[in-house]
Amino acid sequence: MAKERKNMYFPAYTGDDATIMAKGVNSAVRSVPVVLVCLGALLFANVLIYIYIESLYQISETHVSPHGVCPPRHFKMGTMKNCSPWLQCPSVRTEVRKLKMIGQGAVKQVFLSEWKGHKVAVSKLSTPEYREDFLHGLAMLQALQGPHVVLLVGLCVEDHTFVTEYHPLGSLLNLDSVLEQEKYRKLDTWQTRLRLALEYVSALHYLHNSPTGTRVMCDSNDLGKTLSQFLLTSDFHLVANDLDALPALWPRGEGVPFSDKLMPGYDEKTDVWKIPDVAQFLLGRVPGGDVAHFHLFQIHGECKRKDPASRPSARDVLGVYRTVYANMMKDNPSPGSRDML
C-alpha cells in the first residue's frame, strides 16, 4: 500500500519521457542565442535610426558654405580654387565693373557688377543722411560672416561702397515665382520649403547669439519686408543680406546702467513673433506642407503669445523645427532629398 502511494505521488518516468525532456532542454538552450540575436538586431536598428536622425539634425542646423571655409577677412566664390583677401579700395575702384542698377532703397543703391568674370553686387550709399546706417550694415557684414550671411567680397569705406556675392534668384519674396519655373519645379516640395523655414529660424538663432551680442532684425515691420532681408541662393538655401537695421539688444556698452528708455523698441522676441508668418509663406501649399503645419502648430502658437516674455526663444523654436524636420524626413524622404541637402 505504501508502495502504491509512492508511485501515486512520484510516478516513474519512462525512457520516452526522458527523451522528451532532454529535447525540451536542448530546444530552450538553442532558443537563448536566437533571442539574443533578435535583441542585438533590434538594438543595432535603433542605433542606425539614431545616427540617421542625428545626421539630419546636423544637416538642418546649418548648411555648409559651398565655397568652403576661408580665413577671416577672406572670400571664395564661384569657380575660385583659393581664398582671396577682401578687395580693398584700389581693387574695388579699378577691378569691379558696374553693369546696371538692380535695387535702390533709402540707405543704399545696389548694382549688378562684375569682378574677374564673377557676378557680384556693389552697394553704395544713397544719401549722406543714412551714412551711419550704411556703415553699421557694413560692420555687421564683416563681423557676422558665415553660412547665415551673404558673402562679403570687398569694401571701400572711403567711397561708402562694399561688394558682396550676387545671387540671381533674388530675395525670398521671389520663392513662389522661382519654384514655378520649369527647371526648379521638381524642388517645389515640402522638403525644400520646410528646410528653408528651418534655416530662417536657424539664422535668427545665430543673430540672437552672434559674436557681437544679441542682434535683432528691426527693419522688418511686415512679412514682405522681412522676406526681403534674405536672399535665395542658387542651391536653394537662404542668407541674410540687409543688415543695416540690426541693433544690439543692449548697445550702450559695458558699465552703462540699464535703462528701459535706452533700449531699442524691438527685442529678440519680436523676431520670434514673426516666425509663424514667415513659415506660412515658405511652406506654401505643397502636398505634405499641411503635415508640417500640424506638427509646428503648438510652437507657433507659443510664438504668438501676447506677452513677449512668455514666448519661446529662437533656440527653443529651432529645436522643435529640427525634430519635426528629422522625423518627417525619416518617415517620408524624397528620392532627391539627399542631393538637394
Side-chain angles (χ1 to χ4, degrees):
M1 187 72 177
K3 185 177 179 180
E4 291 178 358
R5 287 197 189 98
K6 182 178 179 180
N7 290 339
M8 184 183 300
Y9 293 107
F10 303 99
Y13 290 107
T14 65
D16 292 341
D17 292 334
T19 302
I20 292 172
M21 287 182 65
K23 288 181 178 179
V25 172
N26 291 334
S27 176
V29 171
R30 285 195 302 269
S31 66
V32 172
V34 174
V35 171
L36 292 178
V37 169
C38 292
L39 289 175
L42 181 61
L43 178 61
F44 181 69
N46 286 334
V47 170
L48 288 179
I49 293 173
Y50 174 80
I51 293 174
Y52 176 73
I53 292 177
E54 283 297 308
S55 68
L56 287 177
Y57 280 176
Q58 293 171 5
I59 290 172
S60 61
E61 179 176 355
T62 178
H63 64 277
V64 178
S65 171
H67 315 304
V69 178
C70 288
R73 305 182 68 82
H74 286 67
F75 72 96
K76 184 170 68 172
M77 62 178 176
T79 58
M80 292 176 62
K81 295 182 179 180
N82 300 312
C83 297
S84 174
W86 286 342
L87 306 182
Q88 301 300 315
C89 287
S91 297
V92 171
R93 291 166 181 162
T94 61
E95 298 176 8
V96 178
R97 182 169 62 94
K98 293 180 185 176
L99 300 178
K100 63 177 181 178
M101 182 184 292
I102 55 175
Q104 182 171 9
V107 177
K108 59 183 178 288
Q109 298 174 322
V110 183
F111 299 86
L112 172 61
S113 305
E114 189 177 51
W115 173 77
K116 295 186 176 180
H118 299 281
K119 292 293 191 299
V120 293
V122 172
S123 297
K124 290 186 66 69
L125 177 65
S126 291
T127 60
E129 180 182 356
Y130 292 102
R131 180 176 181 275
E132 282 191 25
D133 297 278
F134 181 88
L135 294 179
H136 173 77
L138 175 55
M140 290 297 95
L141 274 178
Q142 295 179 75
L144 301 176
Q145 281 296 286
H148 295 295
V149 176
V150 68
L151 181 69
L152 182 62
V153 173
L155 64 156
C156 182
V157 177
E158 297 174 17
D159 297 345
H160 301 104
T161 300
F162 63 83
V163 184
T164 56
E165 184 178 17
Y166 173 66
H167 294 286
L169 298 183
S171 78
L172 275 183
L173 275 171
N174 301 330
L175 178 63
D176 287 339
S177 60
V178 169
L179 290 174
E180 287 174 359
Q181 298 178 30
E182 182 65 30
K183 61 179 177 179
Y184 297 123
R185 199 165 294 166
K186 65 179 181 180
L187 296 178
D188 192 11
T189 63
W190 68 259
Q191 288 91 341
T192 301
R193 289 175 172 273
L194 180 56
R195 178 173 50 75
L196 287 173
L198 190 154
E199 288 183 4
Y200 170 74
V201 179
S202 183
L204 290 184
H205 168 59
Y206 173 68
L207 293 175
H208 295 175
N209 301 272
S210 82
T212 63
T214 302
R215 296 288 168 174
V216 183
M217 303 197 74
C218 289
D219 194 11
S220 54
N221 54 359
D222 57 45
L223 178 61
K225 187 64 174 177
T226 301
L227 295 171
S228 70
Q229 309 284 309
F230 291 87
L231 294 176
L232 183 64
T233 68
S234 297
D235 57 347
F236 277 80
H237 291 285
L238 61 81
V239 289
N241 178 54
D242 194 349
L243 306 180
D244 300 337
L246 200 67
L249 188 59
W250 180 242
R252 301 295 172 176
E254 297 181 3
V256 178
F258 177 84
S259 170
D260 285 332
K261 294 181 179 179
L262 296 179
M263 288 292 289
Y266 282 60
D267 64 17
E268 75 274 21
K269 295 302 181 71
T270 307
D271 284 341
V272 170
W273 189 85
K274 301 170 188 173
I275 289 175
D277 301 290
V278 174
Q280 179 77 28
F281 172 85
L282 293 179
L283 286 172
R285 297 184 177 181
V286 294
D290 55 338
V291 178
H293 280 299
F294 173 79
H295 289 304
L296 295 170
F297 180 81
Q298 181 175 341
I299 193 66
H300 282 172
E302 295 173 8
C303 291
K304 287 295 188 179
R305 287 172 177 165
K306 291 184 178 181
D307 179 15
S310 66
R311 296 171 195 159
S313 66
R315 182 193 299 272
D316 296 330
V317 181
L318 181 58
V320 175
Y321 267 67
R322 287 174 180 167
T323 300
V324 171
Y325 181 78
N327 288 338
M328 289 186 66
M329 285 296 295
K330 177 171 63 72
D331 295 336
N332 300 286
S334 66
S337 60
R338 295 183 68 87
D339 296 334
M340 186 174 62
L341 292 173

